[in-house]
Amino acid sequence: MLALLQKIADDTPDTHPYIGDWRARQFREELQALPATDTGPNRWRVMVQLSGEELRLGNEAEAIRLLTDALELIPRTDENRPGLNFNNYRLGVAYLRLAETQNCALHPNPDACILPLRGRGIHSLPTPSRQAIAAFTEVLRGTENAAAGDLSSEASARNWGVGAPPPVRNNAAQQHLSARWLLNIAYMTLGGYPDEVPEPYRLPPETFRSADPMPRFANVAPGLGLDTFDMCGGAVADDFDNDGYLDIVVSTWDTRGQLRYFRNNRDGTFTERTAEAGLIGLYGGLNLVQADYDNDGDVDLLVLRGAWLRADGRHPNSLLQNDGAGTFTDVTFDAGLAEAHYPSPTAAWGDYDNDGDLDLYVGNESSRALVAPSQLFRNNGDGTFTDVAEAAAVMNYRYAKAAVWGDYDGDGLQDLYVSNYRGNNRLYRNTGRGFFIDEAPRLGVAGPTGSFPAWFWDVDNDGLLDLYVSAYTAGIEHLAASALGRPAATETSRLYRGTDGGRFREVSGRYGLAEPTAAMGSNFGDLDNDGYPDFYLGTGYPPYHSVMPNVMYRNQEGRRFSDVTYAGGFGHLQKGHGVVFADLDNDGDQDVFQQMGGAFPGDRFGNALYENPGFGNHWITIDLEGTRSNRSAIGARIRAVVDDERGGGRRSIYRHVNSGGTFGGNPLRQTLGLGGASRIERLEIFWPATGLTQTFTAVPADRAIQIVEGESSYSLLPLRPFTLGSQRR
């Protein structure tokens, strides 16, 4: 495995479309070969193309020089206005990226890049932002007549800057709205929003305010050494060394980027022990998923590679077997998971045949360039797997982006939802006879077409699984349009509420989820311990102009969601990927960890850890251990019946055991918020592999317990709370 990964890393400069520098070398040679007398459109084209490559590689100053010189080649005539706008827009983006690099990326602090910018988030080096303002102002002046135009064109502004520039036929309305959004952000970096923004271009101040209150979560990652500076990747929090405390593993899709393991020191600090864990040389990985696949009592890891690269994405995944002390061995080939390599962005563990061990579904990206079936690996119970996707009728043959298991129809069998980008999604119903039937069209859950993360959860605590499917379609022009009260003209995410009989009802509008977003890494958890799941969307596209805040939604008693992004301090402008909700300090509330960074070498950023300030509600942490069922208890259902003393009366709180969303792994042990209930009247654990329901009564709140399948009593876990970063303050 290490040799294969090293070969991929060595080939990257000449092959990788996002990380390699081969296109930059080609354009440099082409520009150098042009005769000095060529000062027309051809030179302009090459200079603009090269500027995009230099910016992608992180060479902001050179990109700015090229764009500035290219601008001088365009005659100032009405006929050339589209070219001037295009050039100025890219110049503004380059200056804004330089501003982010100089002020945020290279000088991290708790306020950096979090909207609305304040305190140390205001740029101390203001010149690049001022130059970006000048460039965007020129674009806005040049597109005044198109300001109220249509946003429905396929030439979306979010695609500018990916590889070579398109012909200058872009939608002027999109360009105007995109420049307007970025202009307001640039003013904000200088502390000049909203007062200094010219009134015709100002976005309403309400754009960057939350309608509902929320305590602010401080980003404590910079003080803990957890803000690894990298490109996009995965993140998992779990107890990898079996000491009872949650550790963190992060990856990056950089083909020379090291998988990294941070051990929880149980005193508010973390120590990197990547080398001690045996991970040196394990490079790459856009996503991570964890489970105890071999039922030996420790949490193993799967690293997923090759996503978005189509035919160039034949990178091997890695199954890392844990020895119980947080040391890993790559067993991919021995386990039978490496007979074919496909671009794999997503995978999910689940016991689909109820035989007591975890099977694995790997969602692969099938395209015209590479026909890539998704894979269902049946666990043979001896440490090996067999791909049965064809016999099970789940090969998908679409551009898979998310895969999640859940028993949506309540028959005790794990069903499978697969989110496919630019294709209909699948809901594979488990027949219990070794094969699945796609019910997505019949049940109306095949959309949105441009989907990305997805997950099963119970948003309203009615015991029925609901389904969230994100949309990856909104650009910054849609955010600007929405802020101005205009139709965004883009797909939005879907919330499908489960109903009796295994059916769904689409309720995203009623639940306040109709705003445009572009989710990548995402996950859910219970921020306020009220018993209802909240969720966080890591947002953004590879191009640098995709400067959009990550979004936090708070569940309002299962009836709607409110956007608390700005009140809670979650509006990070950098691209967010793997998201984790985890009680890292054992104080009973869930903190939020986010692996940050984009797809380009110049778009690295430090990870974030938002420390939960607490809401005063009660909680319980439950560590389930399967015996006849899978050891991780994935697929088990928890029901806590409580009498909420602060309102709501007697109610049930449900949790279906998994690691949360599809880009980021929550701990497999479950922390349930209990609201105002100081104890659980009845706690039920349902094990689908056996049909067994365990029941416990009068369980005290605010503690951690372990429940072993089949045992009549639970045990207390001696987890000591501490303050994150307490030893560094």
Side-chain angles (χ1 to χ4, degrees):
M1 179 62 72
L2 296 185
L4 275 176
L5 297 179
Q6 186 62 55
K7 176 68 164 54
I8 291 169
D10 291 342
D11 291 344
T12 289
D14 297 324
T15 60
H16 202 296
Y18 292 85
I19 303 175
D21 67 347
W22 52 276
R23 281 200 301 251
R25 286 184 270 125
Q26 289 176 353
F27 288 132
R28 288 170 192 154
E29 293 175 1
E30 186 175 352
L31 182 61
Q32 189 174 10
L34 290 177
T37 55
D38 187 345
T39 59
N42 188 51
R43 178 176 290 273
W44 177 85
R45 175 189 60 81
V46 177
M47 293 177 73
V48 171
Q49 288 176 316
L50 177 55
S51 73
E53 295 303 314
E54 298 289 7
L55 190 62
R56 179 176 60 81
L57 296 172
N59 304 324
E60 293 104 331
E62 178 62 9
I64 289 169
R65 183 193 69 79
L66 286 162
L67 287 167
T68 302
D69 291 347
L71 192 60
E72 295 303 313
L73 300 178
I74 307 175
R76 270 38 176 194
T77 65
D78 289 342
E79 182 182 3
N80 290 313
R81 175 52 60 185
L84 291 167
N85 294 338
F86 183 83
N87 202 132
N88 273 312
Y89 184 87
R90 292 172 72 98
L91 184 59
V93 169
Y95 273 123
L96 191 57
R97 181 63 231 180
L98 179 62
E100 293 174 88
T101 298
Q102 290 183 345
N103 291 275
C104 304
L106 299 182
H107 301 284
N109 66 75
D111 295 329
C113 273
I114 295 178
L115 286 185
L117 297 177
R118 67 178 199 178
R120 296 172 64 192
I122 303 299
H123 290 188
S124 59
L125 300 174
T127 301
S129 286
R130 288 176 180 156
Q131 292 166 317
I133 287 170
F136 291 133
T137 300
E138 285 298 312
V139 176
L140 290 166
R141 289 171 178 164
T143 55
E144 291 280 9
N145 294 334
D150 183 19
L151 285 180
S152 61
S153 168
E154 288 295 320
S156 176
R158 66 181 175 273
N159 294 320
W160 305 339
V162 182
V168 184
R169 294 194 302 270
N170 41 61
N171 185 310
Q174 293 173 339
Q175 194 177 54
H176 185 91
L177 285 170
S178 297
R180 187 167 179 174
W181 175 267
L182 295 175
L183 180 80
N184 281 261
I185 298 297
Y187 270 107
M188 195 179 292
T189 67
L190 303 178
Y193 174 87
D195 295 342
E196 296 178 20
V197 183
E199 194 278 331
Y201 308 140
R202 186 184 306 144
L203 293 177
E206 294 75 19
T207 304
F208 306 106
R209 294 176 186 161
S210 296
D212 293 321
M214 180 79 167
R216 189 173 179 87
F217 285 55
N219 177 16
V220 299
L224 290 172
L226 293 173
D227 57 333
T228 57
F229 191 71
D230 238 318
M231 289 183 270
C232 54
V236 167
D238 220 313
D239 180 11
F240 291 105
D241 55 5
N242 283 328
D243 66 351
Y245 293 78
L246 297 176
D247 313 301
I248 295 175
V249 176
V250 295
S251 67
T252 169
W253 92 323
D254 185 351
T255 56
R256 293 188 183 275
Q258 176 64 56
L259 190 70
R260 302 176 71 174
Y261 173 36
F262 294 91
R263 183 178 185 271
N264 192 327
N265 295 326
R266 296 175 282 179
D267 62 0
T269 66
F270 292 79
T271 298
E272 182 171 0
R273 61 181 310 274
T274 300
E276 296 86 341
L279 301 176
I280 297 298
L282 287 170
Y283 300 147
L286 189 62
N287 200 1
L288 303 171
V289 290
Q290 90 278 21
D292 182 3
Y293 81 91
D294 50 5
N295 285 335
D296 65 352
D298 46 60
V299 182
D300 311 296
L301 268 173
L302 180 72
V303 185
L304 299 165
R305 303 186 178 95
W308 295 110
L309 301 181
R310 299 181 184 267
D312 294 322
R314 290 180 173 270
H315 297 181
N317 300 323
S318 283
L319 178 61
L320 305 180
Q321 185 182 48
N322 190 346
D323 69 354
T327 303
F328 298 88
T329 302
D330 192 315
V331 297
T332 314
F333 289 93
D334 292 340
L337 298 182
E339 293 183 7
H341 305 325
Y342 298 115
S344 305
T346 185
W349 297 97
D351 184 5
Y352 82 91
D353 51 6
N354 279 338
D355 64 353
D357 47 38
L358 287 171
D359 311 297
L360 175 66
Y361 187 81
V362 179
N364 296 316
E365 297 169 346
S366 189
S367 63
R368 291 180 181 178
L370 175 65
V371 177
S374 292
Q375 298 157 293
L376 175 59
F377 292 103
R378 186 186 63 214
N379 194 324
N380 297 323
D382 59 1
T384 67
F385 295 83
T386 300
D387 186 358
V388 297
E390 184 174 9
V394 292
M395 300 179 80
N396 191 33
Y397 286 116
R398 290 175 182 168
Y399 207 75
K401 286 283 101 184
V404 287
W405 294 100
D407 180 11
Y408 79 90
D409 53 3
D411 64 354
L413 300 170
Q414 293 294 299
D415 310 298
L416 177 67
Y417 191 83
V418 183
S419 168
N420 296 306
Y421 185 59
R422 293 186 177 174
N424 288 337
N425 303 322
R426 310 272 199 183
L427 177 53
Y428 290 115
R429 178 174 60 83
N430 191 339
T431 66
R433 302 192 298 276
F435 66 92
F436 295 73
I437 296 173
D438 182 13
E439 300 280 17
R442 183 177 70 86
L443 296 177
V445 295
T449 303
S451 63
F452 204 151
W455 56 75
F456 285 112
W457 56 347
D458 189 347
V459 298
D460 50 5
N461 280 321
D462 65 353
L464 302 173
L465 277 179
D466 310 302
L467 176 63
Y468 178 81
V469 190
S470 69
Y472 192 56
T473 54
I476 56 174
E477 71 274 24
H478 301 112
L479 302 187
S482 180
L484 295 169
R486 294 175 50 183
T490 187
E491 272 193 309
T492 56
S493 301
R494 310 284 174 84
L495 175 60
Y496 299 105
R497 184 174 176 269
T499 63
D500 290 333
R503 296 183 177 275
F504 293 92
R505 180 180 297 115
E506 207 285 309
V507 295
S508 55
R510 185 165 62 114
Y511 272 73
L513 299 177
E515 290 299 309
T517 57
M520 298 186 297
S522 310
N523 214 324
F524 64 90
D526 187 357
L527 289 179
D528 50 9
N529 276 342
D530 67 349
Y532 294 96
D534 315 297
F535 68 105
Y536 191 41
L537 302 178
T539 60
Y541 293 86
Y544 288 109
H545 70 231
S546 179
V547 180
M548 56 176 63
N550 298 291
V551 182
M552 180 69 80
Y553 285 102
R554 186 180 185 183
N555 193 328
Q556 301 291 342
E557 298 182 336
R559 295 191 294 267
R560 67 178 181 89
F561 287 90
S562 59
D563 185 339
V564 295
T565 300
Y566 302 117
F570 298 108
H572 212 302
L573 279 176
Q574 297 299 315
K575 298 175 177 69
H577 218 259
V579 173
V580 175
F581 285 73
D583 181 11
L584 292 168
D585 47 8
N586 289 332
D587 63 354
D589 48 44
Q590 294 180 332
D591 312 294
V592 182
F593 181 83
Q594 186 174 29
Q595 196 278 346
M596 306 294 294
F600 298 156
D603 206 7
R604 301 174 190 269
F605 206 81
N607 301 333
L609 172 56
Y610 302 101
E611 184 177 14
N612 195 322
F615 291 77
N617 283 329
H618 295 289
W619 55 275
I620 189 167
T621 293
I622 304 174
D623 183 15
L624 295 180
E625 181 181 315
T627 53
R628 294 175 62 190
S629 301
N630 69 87
R631 186 76 174 258
S632 294
I634 291 175
R637 188 189 70 186
I638 301 171
R639 181 192 182 196
V641 181
V642 302
D643 188 359
D644 194 329
E645 300 165 8
R646 296 177 190 157
R650 198 167 189 270
R651 63 188 177 104
S652 294
I653 299 167
Y654 290 90
R655 185 67 58 84
H656 297 249
V657 178
N658 58 21
S659 58
T662 46
F663 285 87
N666 295 345
L668 292 171
R669 72 188 191 203
Q670 304 294 304
T671 296
L672 280 71
L674 304 177
S678 59
R679 72 170 190 171
I680 300 173
E681 293 187 356
R682 188 170 74 254
L683 179 64
E684 299 175 354
I685 312 298
F686 172 71
W687 301 89
T690 60
L692 171 70
T693 297
Q694 291 171 272
T695 302
F696 307 89
T697 58
V699 180
D702 304 331
R703 62 197 61 202
I705 65 174
Q706 184 182 53
I707 297 175
V708 177
E709 182 181 12
E711 295 189 0
S712 60
S713 62
Y714 60 83
S715 58
L716 293 177
L717 296 176
L719 300 182
R720 180 179 56 84
F722 49 81
T723 301
L724 287 172
S726 59
Q727 303 300 308
R728 295 186 179 218
R729 294 174 180 171

